[in-house]
Amino acid sequence: MDLDAEHLMMRVRARDANALETLYDAHHRLVYGVAMRMLGEVSAAEDVTQGVFLKVWSSPELFRGGNFPAWIVRMTRNRCLDALRSRNAHPQTELPETLPEDTAIEDVAFANLDARAVRSALQALPAEQREPIELGFFGGITHEEIARKSNVPLGTIKTRIRMGLKKLRTALEGAVSA
Amino acid sequence: MTDTHDELLDDVALYALGTLAAADAQRVRDHLQTCDTCRAEYEALVPVVAALGTSQEASADASSGSVVASPLIKARIMREVRKKKHVSSNGHRRHLVWPAYAVAAACFALATASVLYNIALNDRLHQAEIRLAHQSVVNERDDSMLSDLANVKAQRVSVPGGEVVRSNGHLYLAMHDMPAAPDGKVYQAWTLPKGAKKMVPSATFVPDNRGVALVPVSNDAVNTVAVAVSIEPPGGSKQPTSAPVFVAHLE
């Protein structure tokens, strides 16, 4: 368990604003970084960052324990998808469904990985696997759209994403145990 | 969605990555309820997907080339949180919050009315005593400022967290919802006179813990075409050293 975050979230539930401030100091770069990658605009990324931490404050019960960074990244991605929807840039394209925010991600093995280790593991993937994974996660589009954009059969894209994620898991496990 | 289990596992990976549209996502969710193999695959992949976000974690160091979040975000969040906490601690009742300067103006008007009422009712009060009592509440400068701010004919230009008020030839910043300045910094107001190319430095200020600040900015409102605020070192700067927090253009 991510005991620090668990403890801080208990204090947030008890309405301790200092605990939220500590969580912000520890995790805002993660939230802001994901939002910037997905939205590409400072003001939109700032709005999402503010919205995520205010949600942590107003609905701390959504965090069911486990991997706090994973949970907050999920919340961030969902808000970015909402922002992309509201831009309505491609009304003909269906955006993926948001991920559940009230589900615990019990596996905390990767909770303390730093950005460099993850980037290194990602770079080690073949481009044909890395690109659809990144496009799917940060681009906020469905795998069908990825297949269309990359002109690759749908079934092939699906298999590449799954194989890429499995390889990534193995690489990250190696980074954790190193 | 497809029938063979291997293809279902592909869909589970897509679900973990969050690239399925709503209808497909629901079908995978239903399947996960009944299939241990797929559930184990899902649980193995979700933390991997979450770690993808970590790859974008911005550095705390702007010199590294990554984009750094503005310190004002934290200030805005914590101000909002403390405001909500205050409302919550008052029995979860949502009160109408008046800007403090409006409250101050209302109090001034009430005090003045009360004084006049007392004069009419009680001629035993000596005029000098009234003036003395009045001066103990507000000095002349505050009188003038509050009367300017309460002026219904004043021109008001909305800015983030407050407004710029032009009244009786004076310019004021009337902020009611402004984040605290970053540690070791203050806000500084700037004015742009008609025909000038450079901003002229005006007052430095910090809002109080409710985000309120009343700042006289210029006594030459007629010849001022814009007001800006930036974050500066204590004591202020001769030229802005940071991007403006806002710029208000006056008609």
Side-chain angles (χ1 to χ4, degrees), chain A residues 24 28 32 42 45-46 49, chain B residues 67-77 179 182 231 245:
Chain A
Y24 179 89
H28 78 275
Y32 186 72
V42 169
E46 287 185 356
T49 303
Chain B
V67 181
V68 177
S70 161
L72 287 179
I73 305 175
K74 179 178 173 181
R76 282 200 294 265
I77 292 168
I231 295 169
V245 177

Side-chain angles (χ1 to χ4, degrees), chain B residues 48-94:
Chain B
V48 181
V49 170
L52 285 172
T54 306
S55 71
Q56 298 304 309
E57 184 167 1
S59 167
D61 177 11
S63 65
S64 68
S66 65
V67 181
V68 177
S70 161
L72 287 179
I73 305 175
K74 179 178 173 181
R76 282 200 294 265
I77 292 168
M78 297 315 300
R79 183 173 42 75
E80 187 71 18
V81 160
R82 293 197 164 103
K83 196 161 69 180
K84 283 181 179 175
K85 189 178 174 186
H86 177 72
V87 170
S88 173
S89 66
N90 281 308
H92 299 278
R93 290 168 61 192
R94 190 168 182 83

Side-chain angles (χ1 to χ4, degrees), chain B residues 73-152:
Chain B
I73 305 175
K74 179 178 173 181
R76 282 200 294 265
I77 292 168
M78 297 315 300
R79 183 173 42 75
E80 187 71 18
V81 160
R82 293 197 164 103
K83 196 161 69 180
K84 283 181 179 175
K85 189 178 174 186
H86 177 72
V87 170
S88 173
S89 66
N90 281 308
H92 299 278
R93 290 168 61 192
R94 190 168 182 83
H95 298 290
L96 180 63
V97 180
W98 283 52
Y101 68 84
V103 174
C107 289
F108 170 70
L110 193 61
T112 305
S114 173
V115 167
L116 293 173
Y117 182 63
N118 283 339
I119 293 169
L121 285 183
N122 190 353
D123 58 2
R124 288 173 299 173
L125 279 175
H126 194 275
Q127 189 65 30
E129 287 173 328
I130 296 171
R131 216 166 20 241
L132 189 62
H134 189 216
Q135 281 172 352
S136 72
V137 179
V138 282
N139 61 30
E140 282 181 17
R141 182 172 157 275
D142 288 342
D143 275 359
S144 164
M145 183 164 79
L146 291 174
S147 131
D148 284 347
L149 291 169
N151 180 6
V152 291

Side-chain angles (χ1 to χ4, degrees), chain A residues 15 17-18 20-21 24-26 28-30 32-34 36-37 46 49-50 53-54 57 70 73-74 77 94-97 99-100 105 107 110 113-115 118-119 122 132-133 136-138 141-144 146 158-159 161-162 165-166 168-169 172, chain B residues 1-2 5-7 9-11 13-26 29 41-61 67-71 73-74 76-78 80-82 84-85 88:
Chain A
R15 304 286 80 189
N18 293 333
L20 183 77
E21 196 167 358
Y24 179 89
D25 290 341
H28 78 275
R29 285 183 292 277
L30 175 59
Y32 186 72
V34 170
M36 271 303 290
R37 170 76 187 265
E46 287 185 356
T49 303
Q50 185 170 337
F53 282 95
L54 287 177
W57 177 255
V73 162
R74 184 173 277 211
R77 184 175 183 269
E94 186 174 15
L95 286 170
E97 187 185 61
L99 294 167
I105 301 169
D107 189 336
F110 304 151
L113 280 171
D114 67 19
V118 180
R119 278 199 287 269
L122 262 173
I133 286 173
F137 190 77
F138 297 113
I141 58 177
T142 63
H143 61 289
E144 288 159 339
I146 297 169
K158 287 181 172 187
T159 304
I161 287 175
R162 182 180 164 214
L165 288 177
K166 286 172 80 85
L168 198 53
R169 176 160 184 108
L172 293 178
Chain B
M1 293 286 282
T2 48
H5 206 255
D6 229 26
E7 287 170 335
L9 283 168
D10 282 348
D11 288 333
L14 299 174
Y15 178 63
L17 186 60
T19 63
L20 288 180
D24 288 340
Q26 185 57 53
R29 266 196 298 276
E41 178 91 346
Y42 173 71
E43 287 170 0
L45 293 183
V46 163
V48 181
V49 170
L52 285 172
T54 306
S55 71
Q56 298 304 309
E57 184 167 1
S59 167
D61 177 11
V67 181
V68 177
S70 161
I73 305 175
K74 179 178 173 181
R76 282 200 294 265
I77 292 168
M78 297 315 300
E80 187 71 18
V81 160
R82 293 197 164 103
K84 283 181 179 175
K85 189 178 174 186
S88 173

